[in-house]
Amino acid sequence: LKKLEAESSIVGEVRGLGLMIAIELVKDLKSKEPATAYAKMVRKYCHQRGVIVTVGGHHNNVARLLPPLVITEEYLVKGIDILTGVIKDIEAGKLG
């Protein structure tokens, strides 16, 4: 997900420890203005594609991943691919 952070114009920061990961969504990388709408879209479209993402943070602009500790690598990679795809689709204006 650090690769996604480096490449994305709406991911302000990826942080976390172990499998507990937070992805801060922003309107602009320079100002780091919180993007609440993007976070809600990530939650909605990830759910539609089979991945549960929660939203939180002070500004409700942080997508949080809390997979079970017993998740298989196959499911983990599939979930990350779905999440990454949703974020890229939001960036490209394909979802809304």
Side-chain angles (χ1 to χ4, degrees), residues 22-93:
I23 302 168
E24 183 178 1
L25 296 157
V26 296
K27 292 180 183 177
D28 177 77
L29 289 177
K30 209 175 219 182
S31 69
K32 299 280 188 175
E33 182 181 347
T36 302
Y38 291 159
K40 289 179 182 177
M41 290 169 67
V42 167
R43 179 178 56 202
K44 176 183 176 180
Y45 293 110
C46 279
H47 182 260
Q48 287 179 356
R49 296 176 187 186
V51 175
I52 296 174
V53 174
T54 62
V55 171
H58 294 301
H59 304 286
N60 288 321
N61 69 316
V62 178
R64 296 188 278 192
L65 304 173
L66 301 165
L69 294 176
V70 295
I71 192 168
T72 65
E73 184 176 351
E74 178 185 357
Y75 281 132
L76 188 61
V77 170
K78 184 176 180 180
I80 296 299
D81 288 344
I82 289 170
L83 172 67
T84 301
V86 166
I87 290 173
K88 287 180 179 180
D89 285 350
I90 291 169
E91 245 179 322

